Amino acid sequence: MEQKDLLGGKGANLAEMTRLGLPVPPGFTITTEACRAYLETGWMPPGLDREIDEHVAALERTMGRRLGDPHDPLLVSVRSGAKFSMPGMMETVLDIGLNDASVVGLGRASGSERFAYDSYRRLLQMFGATVLDIDAAAFADELEKLKAERGVFADVDLDVADLRTLVATYQRVIRQRTGRDFPQDPREQLHAAVRAVFSSWRTDRAVLYRRQEGIPEDLGTAVNVQVMVFGNRGPGSGSGVCFTRDPASGAPGVYGDYLADAQGEDVVAGIRNTVPLAGLEDLDKPAFDQLTEVMALLEEHYRDLCDIEFTIEDRHLWILQTRVGKRTPEAAFRIAHAMVTEGVIDPDEALRRVTGDQLAQLLFPHFDAAAERIHLTTGVGAAPGAASGRVALTSAKAVAWADLGEDVILVRRETNPDDLPGMIAARGVLTARGGKTSHAAVVARGMGRTCVCGADGLDIDVDRGEVLVGGRVVLEGDVVSIDGTTGDVLLGAVPVTDSPVLRHLDAGEEPAEVDRALVDAVAFVMAHAADVGRLEVRANADTPEDAARARRLGARGIGLCRTEHMFLGPRRELVERLILAEDQTARESALADLLPLQRADFVEILREMDGLPVTIRLIDPPLHEFLPDHTELAVEVALEDAHGHRSTRHHALLDAVARLHEQNPMLGLRGVRLGIAVPGLVAMQARAVLEAAADRVAAGGDPRPEIMIPLVATAAELVLVRAEVEKVASAVRTERGVDVPVRIGTMIEVPRAALTADRIAASADFFSFGTNDLTQLTWGFSRDDVEAAFFPIYRDRGILSVSPFESIDVDGVGALVGSAARLGRETRPDLHLGVCGEHGGDPRSIHFFESVGIDYVSCSPFRVPVATLEAGRAALEGRRTP
Ligand code: ADP
Ligand code: MG
Ligand code: MG
């Protein structure tokens, strides 16, 4: 067990800093184990109160002062601190140990009565709100009232008499609200504060934060009891927070804020304006110098950006907390790179410190930072990106305006499946209700649409065609902009800039000077990821343009080239002819006309991917997808007949549509089944691929086509189709006189195929796991139907934490993939294994695929950098735990 598991991050780091000889106020830590026991039973574990008293007694001996001493009292803080940092989510109580008697002693011993009463009112307020559960506003209101009465703006302008009054008022508030007096016994205060901090693990905001950050519920918090040091002892004292580098940009230099005559809470609470850390140098040079030394030492020790809380008491520096600091994606890459350059960490460590999600954020377009913005409100950034457009309050409006070529933002209170057309048509989606798992958020993310949801500052009136927000009226048709990362909603069009990182990766564009450090950092980490990664990254690409882009972005081939797109548009008519063919001659003639068109497609793609594998999937969707809609056609035919313009072709087509209609197309005549049912289809497609490859060989190229057969469920299907492809291959070889290399393999996307992978492998050179269909068929979920319909409910009810279509379901679908991989390789040790579902671009899934020995993943071209980065990280993980 790590120290942090028991002591929490704060406790472990306090111990570490003490060990390093830094000026840390003495104290002790109550373990997370005690907290877990308390939360489970509702009782303090036996003996804990006594143990706390013993440790306090030891502290008192060390400090030569006693808790509650009426002459010179010891004061302590009681601080929460879990294993993972949850800033501001749980409670802390300062100045424990003050009461009506010891406050007098503190005033006398410190020579400042004002300071003593300032501390006492703070204790009453924090204890009242945290331990006694009194609404914090009750105290804040009294403070405001007093300031108004005295005609002052800041708490530092209140004098001793005012603070005495405030103490009396706060004590009255406590009596009125709880029916009891504020406990005068310091030990009672301490025990109650410890219980309150334990309980603060369970507050709503803490629970919500953990859910969002993926922090387990059952860890509990440690409690740190620590001797108080005082930043509120007059102008020579103060409190601050600082960072060893800029956590926003990663730029070197020290950053932070300082507030004179204040306790730590005041700095973040924003009650007075802080001064930038550099200002401390003028106020107290020795303390500033000492602090910069401490910062350097901590960064060297933790080998990372540190964030530090400090307090200066009478020109004496105390360090109260440090942790490895949270940072933006930009800072993460820049700091990782800078630290390699400085020789602090090695490239492997740099790679471990960034994530694919962070990279993805850097690849999205952003609003121009320099552009002026009028802020309307802020919601939840649910799907990243930046989008501007006209406000449309209904799905129909969004569709209509988008059809006219307008950019549209669909603005709804919340969305439901009926809004889908509008969401598709819009540039972005904005809702007033719902969080990251709302319908709008889930669907928008799935579509790659920018989305801000839960912007509850929006008051939407669809009938009047207006939105009230922040005292303004925004009319339907007005332009707004939404930032799917920050959740900001802005008035008007804000210029959007493409990511400099993407422009560099995609087009090799030289970055502007301000972006150079970031672009260099990403390039450095990416190069290392590509170096150490074992898992190859290919792209899903159906066109030469996509193939070229994927290659520029680092793809090592195409893992999925769908051929059905090649049957659309003007070629649809040829497919109709194929379907309507009544005899072999008609069928062959339709196929013969399709052949040269398909061949030309493949020549171009193979050219773009010269020297790299291109996996071409034979036609997969049901044939009726290429035919007109049944209802529309029926109406047309009826009208023609009524007007005496009977069309034989349309009648034949209508018959075919009716004949091909399926109750459950997803489970019907598609994939390999189609290839077997429609004679000549497989041969035509195989011939197009192989002749294209032969053309490329003749032109001096290095084509590496792979023919992939979809939806195989039994080895018998594959045996049949493979033989057909091989026959074509040898025919083309003879006709062209060139040896065309080709691999023939199958998708594993039907559970039965996964279960019988050992037999299927006998006829396959490779497997490509189609994890989309495999997930649908394993769960019995029709993706298009279920994701919007009830996944949000399933997530709210805790049945699913993440959609199995987004991230591989390791226990179910993943187990099938793992066992199929093993079975396949039992038959054919050199069997090549890939994944071509959307999971191929998902970081968590990539780590899983690495762990079961998959050879490559394939994802959309834009996802290739993210997958490459995660493949590198996954390889490092594998190395650490062999
Ligand atoms: P959080 O985890 O929310 O930051 P902390 O336990 O760090 O809570 O405490 C809140 C504030 O109180 C911080 O600014 C901290 O510096 C200050 N503080 C905590 N303990 C002491 C202490 N012993 N002396 C002076 N200030 C303290
Ligand atoms: Mg803190
Ligand atoms: Mg499929």
Side-chain angles (χ1 to χ4, degrees):
M1 210 193 259
E2 260 191 277
Q3 221 185 6
K4 282 185 180 175
D5 290 314
L6 269 187
L7 303 184
K10 197 181 286 171
N13 288 335
L14 282 171
E16 188 73 1
M17 289 196 294
T18 306
R19 208 181 54 80
L20 291 171
L22 296 184
V24 177
F28 59 91
T29 302
I30 305 166
T31 65
T32 54
E33 211 166 68
C35 175
R36 286 191 294 270
Y38 176 77
L39 291 176
E40 234 163 69
T41 61
W43 298 95
M44 282 302 240
L48 183 60
D49 282 343
R50 204 193 55 238
E51 230 180 294
I52 292 174
D53 292 342
E54 282 166 16
H55 278 92
V56 170
L59 259 190
E60 290 176 330
R61 280 194 297 278
T62 316
M63 302 303 295
R65 280 181 288 154
R66 283 187 308 105
L67 221 54
D69 188 327
H71 300 293
D72 183 10
L74 177 71
L75 267 52
V76 295
S77 65
V78 175
R79 318 173 62 186
S80 55
K83 173 173 183 185
F84 301 105
S85 127
M86 299 169 51
M89 290 300 136
M90 289 178 301
E91 307 292 0
T92 283
V93 185
L94 305 182
D95 303 314
I96 295 266
L98 280 176
N99 56 27
D100 295 347
S102 66
V103 69
V104 179
L106 181 65
R108 225 173 272 139
S110 68
S112 168
E113 246 192 306
R114 187 191 178 285
F115 151 68
Y117 279 93
D118 184 55
S119 303
Y120 198 14
R121 62 105 183 171
R122 288 169 187 273
L123 168 63
L124 290 168
Q125 184 243 309
M126 266 186 258
F127 194 91
T130 304
V131 183
L132 304 175
D133 258 341
I134 299 171
D135 187 359
F139 298 102
D141 290 349
E142 293 295 345
L143 178 60
E144 287 313 309
K145 224 160 62 192
L146 182 66
K147 284 198 294 194
E149 258 167 45
R150 307 290 297 134
V152 300
F153 286 111
D155 54 352
V156 279
D157 299 326
L158 296 172
D159 62 19
V160 190
D162 298 332
L163 293 170
R164 273 181 200 277
T165 313
L166 198 58
V167 162
T169 312
Y170 281 180
Q171 289 188 330
R172 199 190 62 230
V173 170
I174 290 176
R175 201 175 313 119
Q176 280 170 351
R177 298 283 182 126
T178 64
R180 290 185 54 197
D181 281 324
F182 171 72
Q184 294 288 315
D185 175 1
R187 282 192 165 61
E188 190 186 335
Q189 293 171 9
L190 178 62
H191 294 165
V194 170
R195 285 175 176 76
V197 171
F198 280 164
S199 303
S200 71
W201 176 258
R202 291 254 170 95
T203 58
D204 289 347
R205 65 174 182 209
V207 172
L208 195 68
Y209 183 86
R210 286 195 292 274
R211 202 181 289 165
Q212 223 144 67
E213 301 290 309
I215 299 173
E217 264 311 297
D218 55 0
L219 300 177
T221 181
V223 178
N224 303 284
V225 178
Q226 189 178 36
V227 169
M228 280 299 297
V229 291
F230 301 101
N232 57 333
R233 251 183 112 153
S237 304
S239 278
V241 290
C242 59
F243 300 90
T244 56
R245 300 181 190 225
D246 184 349
S249 70
V254 295
Y255 288 78
D257 297 303
Y258 179 73
L259 190 59
D261 199 2
Q263 276 197 344
E265 299 278 85
D266 303 345
V267 181
V268 272
I271 56 157
R272 277 180 276 143
N273 281 340
T274 54
V275 297
L277 194 63
L280 178 61
E281 190 166 10
D282 305 328
L283 293 173
D284 190 342
K285 175 109 171 79
F288 178 80
D289 289 344
Q290 196 191 347
L291 179 63
T292 27
E293 264 170 48
V294 169
M295 286 165 92
L297 189 137
L298 284 176
E299 201 183 85
E300 192 183 325
H301 181 72
Y302 287 100
R303 295 160 51 243
D304 206 344
L305 160 80
C306 292
D307 119 5
I308 299 160
E309 288 177 6
F310 66 95
T311 279
I312 297 173
E313 177 178 346
D314 254 344
R315 313 204 161 261
H316 190 97
L317 176 73
W318 293 98
I319 306 297
L320 290 174
Q321 185 177 336
T322 193
R323 64 187 160 214
V324 166
K326 296 203 194 293
R327 64 204 73 184
T328 61
E330 172 170 356
F333 275 89
R334 282 186 59 180
I335 292 171
H337 182 216
M339 288 199 156
V340 174
T341 316
E342 293 161 20
V344 179
I345 59 174
D346 64 12
D348 283 358
E349 180 61 21
L351 181 54
R352 283 190 193 103
R353 287 190 184 177
V354 296
T355 67
D357 287 336
Q358 288 172 329
L359 178 63
Q361 285 195 38
L362 293 175
L363 298 176
F364 283 112
H366 287 282
F367 286 127
D368 204 332
E372 234 178 84
R373 35 182 86 194
I374 302 169
H375 186 259
L376 288 175
T377 186
T378 301
V380 180
S388 288
R390 290 188 188 287
V391 170
L393 297 181
T394 61
S395 174
K397 266 272 164 60
V399 172
W401 287 350
D403 282 348
L404 296 173
E406 295 277 0
D407 289 342
V408 178
I409 305 289
L410 177 66
V411 182
R412 303 283 291 154
R413 226 157 64 134
E414 65 249 314
T415 61
N416 62 48
D418 294 336
D419 291 313
L420 206 59
M423 296 180 76
I424 292 167
R427 290 241 153 214
V429 179
L430 170 62
T431 68
R433 297 265 180 84
K436 278 194 172 172
T437 56
S438 64
H439 175 268
V442 173
V443 176
R445 269 198 302 276
M447 297 192 306
R449 236 12 127 256
T450 298
C451 176
V452 172
C453 54
D456 51 14
L458 299 174
D459 189 354
I460 302 168
D461 190 332
V462 179
D463 296 332
R464 300 171 63 127
E466 60 182 43
V467 181
L468 242 91
V469 52
R472 279 174 198 269
V473 179
V474 177
L475 298 179
E476 187 162 31
D478 287 353
V479 174
V480 297
S481 302
I482 58 174
D483 185 327
T485 307
T486 62
D488 283 332
V489 182
L490 311 164
L491 186 65
V494 180
V496 171
T497 35
D498 285 342
S499 141
V501 175
L502 181 64
R503 282 205 306 262
H504 178 75
L505 292 178
D506 186 16
E509 203 174 289
E510 275 296 305
E513 209 41 50
V514 285
D515 299 323
R516 181 172 301 280
L518 171 62
V519 168
D520 287 352
V522 174
F524 170 81
V525 179
M526 290 300 297
H528 189 62
D531 240 26
V532 298
R534 181 196 62 80
L535 206 56
E536 275 190 358
V537 178
R538 297 190 191 176
N540 300 347
D542 310 334
T543 64
E545 296 74 40
D546 275 356
R549 156 161 289 142
R551 190 165 196 168
R552 289 197 302 273
L553 290 173
R556 306 301 302 149
I558 292 179
L560 175 61
C561 174
R562 304 177 186 85
T563 51
E564 46 271 17
H565 300 285
M566 302 172 183
F567 293 98
L568 297 175
R571 302 180 189 178
R572 206 185 261 263
E573 202 205 304
L574 293 173
V575 183
E576 281 178 18
R577 263 176 55 205
L578 174 66
I579 296 171
L580 297 180
E582 280 177 358
D583 53 29
Q584 197 179 337
T585 331
R587 190 181 310 119
E588 274 169 10
S589 130
L591 285 170
D593 287 345
L594 274 167
L595 175 66
L597 300 171
Q598 282 248 290
R599 186 174 54 220
D601 298 324
F602 296 139
V603 168
E604 290 309 312
I605 291 175
L606 289 171
R607 192 205 315 276
E608 293 296 350
M609 278 291 166
D610 198 59
L612 295 176
V614 175
T615 309
I616 296 161
R617 179 177 71 182
L618 300 186
I619 191 167
D620 184 48
L623 283 183
H624 65 73
E625 285 195 10
F626 303 99
L627 296 178
D629 176 71
H630 182 262
T631 317
E632 277 170 30
L633 187 61
V635 171
E636 199 180 333
V637 165
L639 284 175
E640 285 170 351
D641 289 356
H643 291 97
H645 304 301
R646 187 186 156 85
S647 153
T648 342
R649 188 172 149 267
H650 280 177
H651 270 274
L653 205 52
L654 188 59
D655 287 346
V657 174
R659 177 162 41 83
L660 290 173
H661 172 78
E662 292 175 313
Q663 288 301 341
N664 246 322
M666 204 180 72
L667 303 177
L669 180 60
R670 53 176 284 225
V672 67
R673 305 162 194 176
L674 202 56
I676 292 171
V678 181
L681 192 53
V682 167
M684 183 279 287
Q685 285 205 293
R687 182 168 273 279
V689 172
L690 292 159
E691 288 186 356
D695 287 355
R696 288 294 306 142
V697 172
D702 178 13
R704 312 256 174 108
E706 305 186 335
I707 291 179
M708 174 157 86
I709 295 140
L711 217 72
V712 164
T714 157
E717 290 166 323
L718 189 59
V719 168
L720 218 75
V721 175
R722 184 182 178 106
E724 204 174 341
V725 174
E726 275 177 344
K727 206 167 98 196
V728 175
S730 74
V732 172
R733 258 177 225 129
T734 323
E735 290 159 23
R736 294 300 188 91
V738 288
D739 190 20
V740 187
V742 63
R743 292 215 238 180
I744 303 167
T746 179
M747 289 187 77
I748 301 288
E749 52 186 340
V750 176
R752 191 182 189 285
L755 295 168
T756 57
D758 47 346
R759 300 193 201 181
I760 289 178
S763 310
D765 302 330
F766 63 88
F767 283 174
S768 177
F769 290 94
T771 50
N772 292 350
D773 267 315
L774 193 57
T775 301
Q776 296 205 88
L777 295 170
T778 301
W779 281 85
F781 281 157
S782 151
R783 174 175 195 170
D784 295 333
D785 300 319
V786 302
E787 244 187 349
F790 64 84
F791 272 19
I793 302 173
Y794 264 40
R795 287 196 219 200
D796 286 348
R797 302 297 300 274
I799 299 170
L800 291 175
S801 59
V802 60
S803 159
F805 293 106
E806 263 169 52
S807 196
I808 189 101
D809 149 39
V810 169
D811 298 338
V813 179
L816 273 179
V817 171
S819 80
R822 214 175 42 248
L823 285 174
R825 283 196 170 136
E826 271 168 23
T827 306
R828 264 195 81 156
D830 65 340
L831 185 70
H832 203 231
L833 299 174
V835 170
C836 65
E838 259 153 90
H839 300 98
D842 168 63
R844 268 189 44 214
S845 311
I846 289 171
H847 287 245
F848 170 75
F849 295 136
E850 166 76 25
S851 75
V852 292
I854 299 293
D855 296 303
Y856 70 88
V857 292
S858 189
C859 57
S860 77
F862 280 113
R863 232 24 222 179
V864 166
V866 172
T868 306
L869 185 82
E870 287 296 347
R873 284 165 43 80
L876 293 183
E877 215 170 75
R879 238 189 259 165
R880 246 191 316 199
T881 45

